[in-house]
Amino acid sequence: MAAITAQNIKKSYGHIHALKGVSFDVREGEVFGVVGPDGAGKSTLFNILTTLLLPDSGTATVLEHDLLRDYLEIRKNIGYLPGTFSLYPDLSVEENLIFFATMYKSSIPDNMPLIKPIWEQLLPFKKRPAGKLSGGMKQKLALCCALIHKPTLLFLDEPTTGVDPVSRKEFWEILGTIKKQGISVVVSTPYMDEATLCDRIALLQEGEFIRMDSPKAIVNDFQGELVSLRTTDIFKLLKLMNDCPLTCTFYPYGENLHVIFYEPMETVLPPFEAFLQKNDISYDKLTQITPTIEDCFIEIVRTKN
Ligand code: ADP
Ligand code: MG
């Protein structure tokens, strides 16, 4: 059974085509990542699949229920952590959780097996107003609240955006334990490193899925030779690269420059090194590397355009 099947979902806001016909399946029990930059259409897709927003066209079933006809059934069985802050800031951590539990005619003890790993991290702050928690703690509490009615499918819209790196890591560890309970998870993120933690990902760009597969398959399909270059003056190098006589794609990657070549390494490296030396670029390392999902995304977007 598929947790979600969606066919040709479209949504426009006036003349903005936020979703241009998105089709996909989410398998039961998998962590499915929707990866894309700001404005790609992630929240629009989440709001539609959680029945908060009507699509202009397209069909979908969520947990075997028709999106339009059986929306009440869907709402009962999904959990949603929307991108915007969804808690009551003046209520304490504990009060927030009790509120959501009561709304679903449930209770904290009822759900302890499911929320325990998260709740334990929140316990030291249980009397604190939710609005006064750190970003990471807020998201853990929101996740607890989204789980309180034992959903079988969980939607998390950018749960770690703006959250510090340590809390991000902890949040993903928690997602691992949720998956182990058999809950299907659809999670969106602008962070490429998080994409690799999903079973499958869909790369969303301007309202279209431009690639959908396991992170490993996407990396394996990467065409080209990727080189990483560390230099002291990345800006000078970026400017210079426009004059590079070799066919390549280049972009800053952290403190490094990444260059994708389309011919065998032994053919391109000698002329490339000669080009760098001629232009007085000092670099301490020129290494061929395995692409990350981010490199793949850049290349997939480039070849599509
Ligand atoms: P993401 O969550 O990936 O950042 P969104 O789904 O929020 O993307 O937005 C997709 C596009 O639709 C963007 O161009 C955004 O500006 C636009 N958009 C989103 N919501 C609205 C709205 N209520 N009215 C008009 N435009 C919107
Ligand atoms: Mg969004």
Side-chain angles (χ1 to χ4, degrees):
M1 188 181 108
I4 300 174
T5 63
Q7 277 106 33
N8 211 14
I9 301 281
K10 292 185 184 169
K11 179 74 193 178
S12 295
Y13 304 102
H15 63 279
I16 298 170
H17 302 297
L19 293 176
K20 297 174 184 165
V22 166
S23 304
F24 68 109
D25 291 343
V26 174
R27 298 169 192 156
E28 205 172 88
E30 79 176 336
V31 175
F32 186 89
V34 178
V35 184
D38 245 16
K42 302 181 296 293
S43 297
T44 300
L45 181 62
F46 278 58
N47 286 337
I48 288 172
L49 294 173
T50 54
T51 78
L52 299 179
L53 184 69
L54 282 173
D56 295 337
S57 60
T59 55
T61 59
V62 176
L63 299 172
E64 308 269 277
H65 301 294
D66 182 82
L67 185 69
L68 304 182
R69 205 184 48 222
D70 306 326
Y71 66 96
L72 288 175
E73 251 342 277
I74 294 175
R75 286 180 191 177
K76 266 187 235 162
N77 294 297
I78 61 169
Y80 185 21
L81 199 165
T84 45
F85 192 56
S86 56
L87 302 166
Y88 293 92
D90 298 329
L91 293 186
S92 73
V93 167
E94 194 174 28
E95 287 163 344
N96 263 284
L97 197 56
I98 291 170
F99 173 80
F100 282 97
T102 313
M103 230 170 49
Y104 282 104
K105 300 188 176 65
S106 176
S107 71
I108 299 180
D110 254 6
N111 287 284
M112 208 29 96
L114 184 56
I115 62 171
K116 198 165 173 233
I118 323 171
W119 187 235
E120 276 172 354
Q121 294 185 28
L122 287 165
L123 264 183
F125 311 101
K126 72 175 184 180
K127 298 286 177 214
R128 190 181 291 187
K132 298 238 153 56
L133 291 171
S134 69
M137 279 297 164
K138 273 180 193 158
Q139 289 305 68
K140 283 173 197 163
L141 174 58
L143 180 58
C144 249
C145 293
L147 283 169
I148 203 77
H149 59 296
K150 300 192 182 81
T152 47
L153 170 60
L154 192 58
F155 290 91
L156 310 169
D157 190 10
E158 296 199 35
T160 59
T161 296
V163 170
D164 68 90
V166 174
S167 302
R168 271 174 58 190
K169 189 169 167 283
E170 287 171 1
F171 195 90
W172 275 90
E173 281 164 10
I174 291 170
L175 282 194
T177 65
I178 289 172
K179 178 185 147 89
K180 279 209 192 90
Q181 317 245 10
I183 298 173
S184 315
V185 179
V186 186
V187 55
S188 72
T189 178
Y191 301 120
M192 301 288 166
D193 58 328
E194 294 185 343
T196 52
L197 304 169
C198 301
D199 296 310
R200 287 191 309 140
I201 53 174
L203 298 177
L204 187 63
Q205 163 89 352
E206 293 174 2
E208 285 176 284
F209 279 166
I210 54 173
R211 190 69 212 277
M212 189 165 28
D213 216 325
S214 68
K216 206 170 156 198
I218 289 175
V219 168
N220 283 343
D221 280 356
F222 183 84
Q223 303 288 322
E225 310 286 340
L226 179 65
V227 169
S228 177
L229 193 72
R230 185 177 274 276
T231 153
T232 48
D233 195 346
I234 184 106
F235 297 107
K236 183 178 167 197
L237 181 56
L238 274 170
K239 197 155 169 271
L240 181 72
M241 282 303 290
N242 291 312
D243 302 326
C244 181
L246 297 154
T247 307
C248 63
T249 304
F250 60 90
Y251 43 92
Y253 193 99
E255 292 170 356
N256 295 8
L257 181 83
H258 278 190
V259 188
I260 308 170
F261 292 109
Y262 305 99
E263 283 177 72
M265 282 313 274
E266 57 272 23
T267 320
V268 288
L269 264 198
F272 185 54
E273 290 201 278
F275 167 76
L276 293 172
Q277 275 155 21
K278 194 181 93 193
N279 288 285
D280 256 352
I281 295 288
S282 58
Y283 54 91
D284 55 45
K285 234 176 166 191
L286 192 73
T287 39
Q288 184 172 18
I289 54 165
T290 310
T292 63
I293 287 291
E294 186 166 355
D295 294 305
C296 295
F297 198 5
I298 287 168
E299 187 59 2
I300 292 165
V301 170
R302 189 193 67 81
T303 50
K304 199 188 148 275
N305 291 335

